[in-house]
Every structure is written in C-alpha cells, then in structure tokens.
Amino acid sequence: MTSEFTLKPTQTFFQENSHFGLEPSNIILFEQRMIPAVTFDGNVILERKGKIAMAPDGNGGLYQALVDNNVLEDMKRRGVEYVHVYCVDNIMVKMADPVFVGFCVTKGADCGAKVVEKAHPDEPVGVVCRVGGVPQVVEYSEIRPEIAQLRGPAGELVHSAGNICNHFFTRSFLHDVAEKFKEQLKQHVALKKVPFVDSCGNQVKPTKPNGIKMEKFVFDVFPFSRNFVAFEVLREEEFSPLKNSDGAAEDTPTTARNSLLAQHCHWVTAAGATLLDEHGNSIQIPPSSSTENRLPVQCEISPRVSYFGEGLEQLLKGKTIKTPFILDEAAAKELQAQ
C-alpha cells in the first residue's frame, strides 16, 4: 500500500531492480486514501495556489484501501488465506515469517501481533494488552506513569508487550473488517509540519507543527478479533526501526544498518566461522543480548543465501573470514566449491 506521493517512486524502484526476481504480476501496488490537513482552528490548508494540502489517512487506511482497490477479491482469486502486514520502517523485519504465521495458524487465530519486551517503563511504544478482556493497543501517551511502572513478582514489567506494528491477519478477518467494522475505527490526531502558502501566495515550510492530520491505526481492529494472539520476539533479532535522521540518539539509518550487520556477524560466528578485521585480528562478537553488539563490522549476508541464519554452517564452519565480508549467491557458490 502506498500513498499518491509514493506510488510512482515505488513502481520505479521495483522496475529498476527487476522486481527482485519476483513475477511482476504477483506484486500488487495500491493507494490509500488522502484526506485534507487542517489548521488548529479546523480550516483547510492550501499547499500551493489552487491545491488543498492532503495527507494519507494513516496505516489504518489499509482496510478502506482493500475495498477501494478490490484487493481482497484478488487475494481470494489467488488462494491467499493468510496475510502478514508490517507498518514501520524496520530493517530487520522477517517478511512472511513462517514461525509467526505458523504460530497464529496453529492457535486458530484470526489476528496476531508480534511484540518485543519494552526496554523500560517510559519507552515511547504502545502496549499490546487486554482492556476489560478485549485485546487492543494502548498508546504510551495514554498510560498513566504508575501503571506503566507496575512490576510483577520477579521484577518484570506487567505491561511489557511493546507494539512494533507487525501483524498477522486471515483474509476472512480482513473481509469482516472491511465489510462490518472499518467505519468503527477511531480517528487519531497527529500534529504535523504542513507546507502552505501565506496570504501573499508565498510558499512556507514551517519549522514546527502548524496543522493537524487525522489518521487511523492498523492495530485498532484488534478488538474485533474472535481469537487474538501475541507473539513475543527478541528486539535485537527483529526490531530496529528507522524514525530519525543521522545525528539523533537512536532509530537512525546508522543504528538500523549496524543492527543488521551485527545480526549477520552473529549468524557467521554461530555457524562456526571466525571473523577477522582488516589487520587479521580476530573479532570478538559480544552476546546478541548485549547493547554493545551494535558494531559497524562489515559483514552482510544476502537473504537469497539465508533467510534467518539457517544453512550457513555447511558453508562457513571452520573457516576464517576477513571483513568486510559479503555473502551473496556468487560467494556462496565459491565457498561450496572449496
């Protein structure tokens, strides 16, 4: 799903990369709806002369977009029964994770969510929980501090299931939402910096929020589930979001890149190989649970070679590998021939 701003660049990106080896007919791109941005007084904003400022209707616009673009009918025609959806820029996402999907199917779930343990009570992530017995995500801004800090007998956070916007749905559940529930989704207010033209017709790019965009959230359908499940994963293995530009303290392109490289280093050493730096010295990789594992060691493994670290032992066990190291299909063939 794209917006009107990202549809064409996305199409071009896929074309320039030969659709990453996939059949073009199996890649369906569709647009979500756009709605006007307004001032804090509720007036529409002019983006430029003759054009109202519009914004995508949030990742919860998915359900209306499925209807608008006949996507559910296309899924049914193709025999698609289960859908994996993620809505956060996350370099470590496991697309169509067979373990997550298999867990949800085995449990008979119509809706599921991956979660990570919150790093600390004040971490700005929503919490997957039950409110009055009904599954939902409570945003961090809506949780009172004394509730967020509640701990169990072993010192663990009571409300620890951090939402990472990584979900499983059955097609039948999506059909029910589109047919019965999508109008019940809440609207959320987002304060944004919206470019506009002033009374003299000059283009202005604000430096602080000047407008409101209304959004729906994809996870607001959880209360409609008949059998909801949560699946906890390790943060260092599956979640390194991109939210900020380089220079910020966290969630930048650099931290995302280093998270992936660190993970691949662990895969290589777990397969029985030894990594060397450019001087031939052995690189000691700390435990994956350590925050110190975010090292810029240049070690990257193509997903065409290994999806999640599997199958590497037969290629790498007992080998000494000098970094930078890229294990793509060609390199894998060379290692097999050795």
Side-chain angles (χ1 to χ4, degrees):
M1 182 175 76
T2 73
S3 70
E4 70 173 38
F5 305 125
T6 57
L7 178 61
K8 185 61 179 175
T10 304
Q11 287 174 328
T12 301
F13 185 74
F14 272 89
Q15 291 164 359
E16 290 176 346
N17 289 277
S18 302
H19 297 88
F20 300 95
L22 300 171
E23 284 292 332
S25 61
N26 288 336
I27 301 173
I28 309 301
L29 302 178
F30 58 97
E31 284 185 52
Q32 66 187 115
R33 288 187 176 184
M34 306 287 286
I35 55 177
V38 299
T39 66
F40 298 141
D41 297 324
N43 297 315
V44 296
I45 298 174
L46 278 182
E47 179 183 324
R48 59 177 184 269
K49 293 180 181 179
K51 188 179 190 304
I52 293 175
M54 304 288 284
D57 57 354
N59 53 38
L62 168 69
Y63 308 108
Q64 183 63 57
L66 292 175
V67 174
D68 292 344
N69 298 279
N70 300 312
V71 175
L72 292 173
E73 290 79 359
D74 184 77
M75 288 182 181
K76 184 176 182 179
R77 188 165 57 249
R78 294 169 183 267
V80 174
E81 296 296 333
Y82 309 112
V83 182
H84 177 224
V85 176
Y86 82 99
C87 319
V88 173
D89 295 322
N90 175 17
I91 196 171
M92 302 179 80
V93 69
K94 293 173 68 177
M95 289 301 302
D97 177 7
V99 178
F100 177 46
V101 172
F103 172 81
C104 294
V105 172
T106 301
K107 295 293 185 181
D110 55 4
C111 177
K114 276 191 179 183
V115 299
V116 298
E117 183 179 6
K118 287 184 65 175
H120 51 81
D122 301 322
E123 184 181 8
V125 295
V127 171
V128 179
C129 58
R130 293 187 183 274
V131 178
V134 178
Q136 63 185 75
V137 174
V138 178
E139 284 301 297
Y140 65 92
S141 58
E142 300 170 351
I143 303 176
R144 297 197 308 273
E146 63 270 24
I147 299 298
Q149 293 170 15
L150 284 175
R151 293 188 180 272
E156 75 283 4
L157 286 175
V158 171
H159 303 293
S160 64
N163 177 43
I164 59 173
C165 263
N166 192 322
H167 309 311
F168 162 92
F169 301 116
T170 62
R171 179 175 52 80
S172 59
F173 177 71
L174 290 175
H175 181 270
D176 286 348
V177 170
E179 196 170 70
K180 305 173 187 176
F181 303 123
K182 71 177 186 296
E183 303 303 329
Q184 298 180 39
L185 294 184
K186 297 180 290 185
Q187 293 279 0
H188 299 268
V189 173
L191 304 182
K192 301 286 187 177
K193 293 180 283 191
V194 183
F196 66 97
V197 290
D198 61 19
S199 57
C200 299
N202 300 312
Q203 191 92 32
V204 179
K205 290 188 176 181
T207 56
K208 60 183 181 179
N210 65 313
I212 294 172
K213 295 181 180 180
M214 302 302 294
E215 300 177 336
K216 294 180 179 180
F217 293 161
V218 69
F219 45 76
D220 280 343
V221 300
F222 290 179
F224 308 129
S225 170
R226 289 184 292 274
N227 187 15
F228 174 85
V229 296
F231 186 75
E232 185 174 316
V233 297
L234 294 175
R235 178 188 298 257
E236 61 267 20
E237 290 186 355
E238 299 203 29
F239 189 55
S240 185
L242 176 61
K243 298 179 181 179
N244 306 308
S245 59
D246 276 330
E250 58 188 6
D251 301 339
T252 66
T254 295
T255 61
R257 185 182 303 111
N258 289 350
S259 293
L260 187 71
L261 296 176
Q263 182 184 63
H264 290 186
C265 285
H266 284 285
W267 291 357
V268 169
T269 55
T274 300
L275 288 171
L276 304 178
D277 62 21
E278 65 271 21
H279 305 297
N281 300 315
S282 178
I283 299 173
Q284 299 302 313
I285 306 297
S288 60
S289 60
S290 169
T291 56
E292 295 176 354
N293 71 341
R294 305 294 172 91
L295 300 172
V297 177
Q298 299 299 308
C299 176
E300 186 170 354
I301 299 171
S302 167
R304 291 179 177 271
V305 174
S306 182
Y307 175 75
F308 201 62
E310 79 290 343
L312 296 178
E313 190 170 323
Q314 59 188 0
L315 294 173
L316 301 176
K317 187 174 183 179
K319 290 186 168 59
T320 299
I321 296 169
K322 190 171 184 179
T323 57
F325 174 61
I326 297 178
L327 181 57
D328 55 16
E329 290 175 294
K333 287 179 180 178
E334 288 182 17
L335 287 169
Q336 284 176 329
Q338 291 178 6

